[in-house]
Amino acid sequence: MSVYNFCAGPASLPRAVLEKAQKEFLDWQGLGVNVMEISHRSSEFIALAEQSERDLRELMNISDDYAVLFMHGGGRGQFAAVPQNLHVANKQAVYINSGIWSDGAFSEAQKFTDAIEINVRDDKNGEFNCLTPELWPLPSDASYIHYCPNETIDGIEIFDTVKHSAPIVADMSSNILSREIDVNQFDLIYAGAQKNIGPSGLAIVIVKKSLLSREGTEKPSIFDYALEAKKESMYNTPPTYSWYLAAEVFKWLKAQGGVAAIEQQNIEKASLLYDFIDNSQFYKNTVARNFRSRMNVPFWLNDESLNKAFLAESKQAGLLALEGHRMVGGMRASIYNAMPIDGIKALVDFMHKFEQEHK
Ligand SMILES: *Cc1c(COP(=O)(O)O)cnc(C)c1O
């Protein structure tokens, strides 16, 4: 039986990447040891690091105006690092609250800078219109504007970009590399690796070099963007095995045809699942169509008393980790880049069968 893992994070990695890692586990590049056992300053590891950055730059079309950093501490580490690096005295940082993760970023930022929050998740009319960046009531000046284009828990994705003279910071932990974006519309993009890149703990930061001269606040050296850029992400020992896996994921993505090709697959995968849910009287998703996440699909059974049975039987069928986040309940299927379309088909088949048996 095929097993499909719908975990929101840490999430499944491409099978081909895991198989390659398995093959190389005891002997990487003929060295007779694992890549995690060698010095990060060895020529072999430095070649890996440089290649991975080149591949990511190619995949996302990142210009030389940006530094690419491989850091510690996952997405939440960046919740602290962003204000520590971008704080400006006597200016406010603006946090757009579109869901649970962006609100979490705001809570952390308040420890390090003067931050205000703008709530755009009020969906009084059930239309989610306030999620449209153009309609956000942004002040004319800010140290930076932070938002989260994909709310992993709420299943909300914001496709339009924010335009403002202040630096735009985006938490792309759960949708980086899932669709084409114009990096030039952002000043800082960060992502915890565990959804679309590799193992948890690693974080990728794509930051405009012009921002590196900001003094910010006192901060731990390992969170200092300017220092990490100067040291090529090797101020201290980087998470080398995670970096290796991320590098393999980038190679895998290139072999898939890059971000444009994976975006088409992601559209197809998400449509298949949302169409099924919309056409059912048994399941529902309440997010307005224009703002539905292609990566995280929360759904609810109309009869919640069947939740336990749904989870037990789906697990039996090899469909893992469908339980919704504890803050919103219901179910959630996370369908990142590594989820093959066959996984969606298997899920829809199961949901159909479950509906027939329980309606
Ligand atoms: C998962 C996630 C995070 C937190 O990532 P960690 O690696 O657990 O720190 C932050 N933001 C978003 C949008 C996420 O999905």
Side-chain angles (χ1 to χ4, degrees):
M1 181 183 68
S2 305
V3 167
Y4 296 106
N5 175 16
F6 294 91
C7 191
S12 58
L13 287 167
R15 179 114 192 150
V17 168
L18 293 178
E19 282 167 357
K20 179 146 188 266
Q22 183 183 45
K23 218 182 283 162
E24 296 180 340
F25 204 72
L26 298 177
D27 183 7
W28 182 66
Q29 291 194 351
L31 296 176
V33 293
N34 189 293
V35 60
M36 73 177 105
E37 301 173 298
I38 67 169
S39 167
H40 57 297
R41 306 210 185 275
S42 63
S43 57
E44 291 87 354
F45 193 83
I46 287 178
L48 180 161
E50 288 175 352
Q51 185 63 46
S52 70
E53 180 176 331
R54 272 198 298 276
D55 286 344
L56 184 63
R57 284 183 182 276
E58 189 183 321
L59 283 163
M60 294 182 69
N61 202 6
I62 303 169
S63 81
D64 283 342
D65 294 343
Y66 294 81
V68 174
L69 310 176
F70 291 74
M71 296 180 71
H72 296 272
R76 276 193 193 271
Q78 293 306 312
F79 286 3
V82 164
Q84 287 172 346
N85 284 274
L86 300 192
H87 166 83
V88 177
N90 303 319
K91 282 200 189 192
Q92 285 186 315
V94 173
Y95 277 73
I96 301 297
N97 175 350
S98 56
I100 290 164
W101 277 116
S102 54
D103 191 35
F106 170 68
S107 301
E108 186 73 2
Q110 283 179 294
K111 296 182 193 166
F112 306 105
T113 195
D114 183 10
I116 56 162
E117 194 174 45
I118 297 178
N119 184 359
V120 300
R121 53 165 148 168
D122 177 6
D123 62 335
K124 273 198 290 289
N125 307 320
E127 288 171 355
F128 287 80
N129 278 338
C130 38
L131 289 169
T132 305
E134 238 178 82
L135 302 177
W136 294 346
L138 298 170
S140 59
D141 196 24
S143 53
Y144 60 92
I145 294 164
H146 178 284
Y147 81 114
C148 178
N150 188 70
E151 290 283 2
T152 322
I153 297 171
D154 308 81
I156 286 169
E157 190 159 359
I158 297 167
F159 293 92
D160 289 346
T161 46
V162 188
K163 294 187 179 52
H164 200 279
S165 55
I168 307 293
V169 178
D171 174 4
M172 291 198 190
S173 294
S174 53
N175 71 345
I176 192 167
L177 293 168
S178 70
R179 60 178 164 92
E180 286 192 294
I181 57 155
D182 177 4
V183 170
N184 298 315
Q185 307 233 358
F186 301 88
D187 297 273
L188 195 160
I189 293 169
Y190 67 88
Q194 55 159 309
K195 278 74 183 225
N196 247 343
I197 292 173
S200 60
L202 177 70
I204 305 280
V205 178
I206 301 160
V207 54
K208 225 178 213 164
K209 287 176 183 165
S210 57
L211 276 179
L212 296 177
S213 54
R214 276 205 186 174
E215 202 175 325
T217 65
E218 284 287 335
K219 56 190 146 319
S221 300
I222 62 160
F223 277 180
D224 184 332
Y225 294 153
L227 182 63
E228 288 291 357
K230 190 165 136 222
K231 301 282 186 183
E232 291 171 331
S233 303
M234 294 197 193
Y235 164 72
N236 76 327
T237 314
T240 53
Y241 198 66
S242 299
W243 196 335
Y244 155 79
L245 284 168
E248 290 300 326
V249 169
F250 299 155
K251 286 187 211 163
W252 173 83
L253 254 177
K254 281 174 68 179
Q256 304 299 300
V259 176
I262 210 84
E263 176 172 11
Q264 285 314 308
Q265 290 180 34
N266 287 331
I267 290 171
E268 197 185 335
K269 282 154 50 184
S271 305
L272 193 61
L273 186 50
Y274 283 118
D275 286 350
F276 172 78
I277 292 168
D278 287 344
N279 288 319
S280 147
Q281 307 294 319
F282 193 81
Y283 305 98
K284 65 169 186 262
N285 169 287
T286 52
V287 180
R289 276 164 201 263
N290 290 350
F291 300 102
R292 281 176 168 175
S293 168
R294 290 184 192 147
M295 297 286 101
N296 309 95
V297 183
F299 61 92
W300 287 265
L301 279 67
N302 285 326
D303 179 357
E304 300 243 2
S305 72
L306 291 170
N307 282 1
K308 271 211 171 88
F310 183 92
L311 288 169
E313 290 177 35
S314 55
K315 191 171 174 193
Q316 282 287 314
L319 307 169
L320 308 185
L322 286 166
E323 185 165 11
H325 191 276
R326 63 190 181 281
M327 288 175 85
V328 295
M331 307 296 154
R332 173 174 51 169
S334 293
I335 52 175
Y336 302 111
N337 287 351
M339 175 62 65
I341 185 112
D342 285 348
I344 313 294
K345 289 179 180 160
L347 175 59
V348 166
D349 284 349
F350 170 80
M351 287 169 72
H352 178 71
K353 191 171 134 259
F354 188 85
E355 177 174 352
Q356 295 309 312
E357 286 168 5
H358 293 89
K359 72 176 179 189

